[in-house]
Amino acid sequence: MLAIGLSVGNKIHQADLQITSLGEALGQEDQMDQAQRRLRQDIGRLTRDAERGVKVPDARWKNLRNRISEFKRWSSQAAPLTDHRSQAGSAPIQDVRQAAAVFAEASDYLIETSRFKPSDIKAAMPRFLGALTALETSRSQARQELTSAIWKAADKNRRENRRDIVSVLLGGLVIVAIIFGMAIWLRRNLVSPITIMAARLREFRVGESSGDLPALERADELGDLARGLHDYRQAVESRRSAERRAEFLANHDMLTGLANRLLFENRLAHEIARSVRTGDVVAVFAIDLDAFKAINDRLGHAGGDRVLKRTAQLLLSCVRDGDLVARIGGDEFAVIQVARAQPAAAETLISRIFRKASTPSDDGAPIGMSVGVALSEPGQTGNELHELADLALYRAKADGRNTARIYNKHLKEEESQRERLARDLENAVLANELRLAFQPIADTASLEIVGYEALLRWRHPSLGDIPPDVFVPIAESSGLIGTIGSWVIDQALRAASTWDPKISLAMNLSPIQFRSADLATEIYNAALHWHVAFDRLELEVTESATLLGFQREEVLATLDELRKRGAKVVMDDFGTGHSSLSNLKEFTFDKIKIDRSFVATMHSHTSSSSIVKATIGLGKSLGLIIVAEGVETDEQLSVLRQWGCDQVQGFLIGKPAECVDLMGNDDTVSALQPSQVAQIVPAYEGLKAADTVGSQSSR
């Protein structure tokens, strides 16, 4: 009996040591898993900051690099299983160490890329994600091996103890009573707890863990075994929870809880493949919030986040259970709708979205959105379908925003035409297809010409005159506006060099031109080259140029440098933006140009008349020169004179004209009379509506 008892005790002790060793290994894996998770989250935040152009302090880079090095050192120095009875998990644990080292190297490479070349973050990300996946996979295998080893040890211990009990019972009738009592004691205090532990391990292995472990409060080896199993179960449950959380974060947007771009693309590919078998039609909705930057400016980023969350809830309330709503990024959303009756189902969803979006909100920020929809066709990929939805979205924005468009062949033809114009525009300067027209600006009281505004025109060799509001956005989006802008600056100053020195030259600046830090120097050097006094220049900017988000300070610095060198800075189309007064507060303009839309309707709309009159009064109080655009009738001119407007511009004064030499041989610009000005030959008749002087159409 003593020998059997010692044998049983020794086996229990050995099982306890083995499971304790395995439990310690699991605990160590859990600590490394937590360290890796924190490191992964910090790397994610840092790379997102780098992608958005947020300046990251050097100390933060250095701290993260040190943590990566510490993680790598910790992974390589972590003690392996040394007990020969626990070697079942040694190989997977060694794989974890190797995968951790690879992950540390990938993390270090991604940080270096984010710090010195943020544009390559997307290219470096697959390596990082691959290393992360390999680490998670190897750690999961290690845990499974350790789990299996613990279960086998417990099961083996249970079987051997039962066999020992049978041996004791066969000891003889002499000690039957003793053996019987001992059996009862063993069953209650040893066998039953071990059996329950083994059952709990089996349940946990298949994902069930509802029961409690016995003997947790005991101070003997069985208590140690129970506590080891309890720690193991807690560690695995923590890991499973972390895996579920990681899987959710990998496929969902953290702010709104919607699907992210990755899940959207996977679901779209799946639905397109399934539609081939079912005959359903997949509709992709590309949704953009209108004027979201204005919402951020007014409500702050916290208010913008609230609008994004409310938009997410609005879209979720409009779709069916089988539809997917995703946040692609920023203020961009997308919806995948699968239905057989298309486009009827898409039109119904569009109607539902706009009806709910028009409902007043508690925070006073209405949700305006533009929607583009594309319907799948045989042979299309998910990316192609999404691009078509984006194309329809661009059309919705071009048609006035807060509306929806469904992609059709007409939009495709327009896009093809736009691509053709973009190609042809590249050669327009060299082919002498671009030209400048000049529209006079006159003193309101005397109608004496005080300046000319340079307006860009394009005569296509086969398509004829292309309106500026068509080709200028193409130039901006294709990156040609810098080259064309430099040409305009040079040609306009060349023309101005032949004028009376008292005549000013007004030029519009595209918001894209401000991306060049040398813009002020370029204009100044061109003026020196053509011997045009810098104080004759009037550089017109719109709110789209002064509200460039993170570039706002650079824009204002460039404008300030232009003013310091003597040029005048003019706010064009005043009153059409939501922050006109804010811009006047933050920057000292020399002139304000009242938008032509207010001048044209000031006799038919009381509000327009009040805006014009108030703007003139505002300019007087600030000491600014006020220019009224779009003056076309004597009645408008008379009223502007009464209200004290300083200067006027419009068809009544003169149409834009291609003037080879505005000075002539004997006549000067200042000598032109109103009747003579009206006789200047226009650049092209019949485009009166296109000859606007706004920032977009006049560049």
Side-chain angles (χ1 to χ4, degrees), residues 570-587:
V570 182
M571 180 185 286
D572 198 9
D573 299 340
F574 182 81
T576 58
H578 74 279
S579 297
S580 298
L581 295 178
S582 175
N583 285 324
L584 287 179
K585 181 186 70 173
E586 296 191 16
F587 186 82

Side-chain angles (χ1 to χ4, degrees), residues 486 488-498 505 507 519-539 562 565-567:
S486 298
V488 170
I489 292 170
D490 182 74
Q491 294 300 309
L493 288 168
R494 177 183 180 183
S497 67
T498 66
L505 169 65
M507 294 185 294
L519 176 62
T521 303
E522 178 186 359
I523 298 174
Y524 184 75
N525 291 338
L528 288 178
H529 175 76
W530 292 109
H531 306 289
V532 176
F534 211 65
D535 58 6
R536 291 176 59 191
L537 299 185
E538 295 181 358
L539 304 174
L562 291 170
R565 295 193 180 193

Side-chain angles (χ1 to χ4, degrees), residues 404-420:
R405 292 292 180 268
I406 298 179
Y407 176 82
N408 53 37
K409 292 184 178 179
H410 177 66
L411 288 179
K412 186 175 183 180
E413 293 172 356
E414 288 185 354
E415 180 64 14
S416 299
Q417 181 76 345
R418 184 181 182 278
E419 292 176 355
R420 176 191 173 183

Side-chain angles (χ1 to χ4, degrees), residues 570-628:
V570 182
M571 180 185 286
D572 198 9
D573 299 340
F574 182 81
T576 58
H578 74 279
S579 297
S580 298
L581 295 178
S582 175
N583 285 324
L584 287 179
K585 181 186 70 173
E586 296 191 16
F587 186 82
T588 304
F589 289 87
D590 299 288
K591 276 188 178 183
I592 294 177
K593 299 189 78 171
I594 303 174
D595 186 67
R596 61 182 291 115
S597 62
F598 298 116
V599 176
T601 58
M602 66 181 186
H603 291 299
S604 56
H605 292 83
T606 304
S607 58
S608 295
S609 175
S610 300
I611 291 173
V612 173
K613 189 173 183 180
T615 303
I616 295 173
L618 176 64
K620 295 292 184 183
S621 65
L622 295 176
L624 305 179
I625 297 175
I626 304 299
V627 184

Side-chain angles (χ1 to χ4, degrees), residues 16 40 73 91 125 180 204 223 252 259 330 379 386 402 463 616 650:
D16 176 63
R40 181 193 62 202
R73 185 167 57 255
M125 187 59 70
F180 182 74
F204 195 66
H252 292 80
H386 195 192
N402 199 30
L463 299 177
I616 295 173

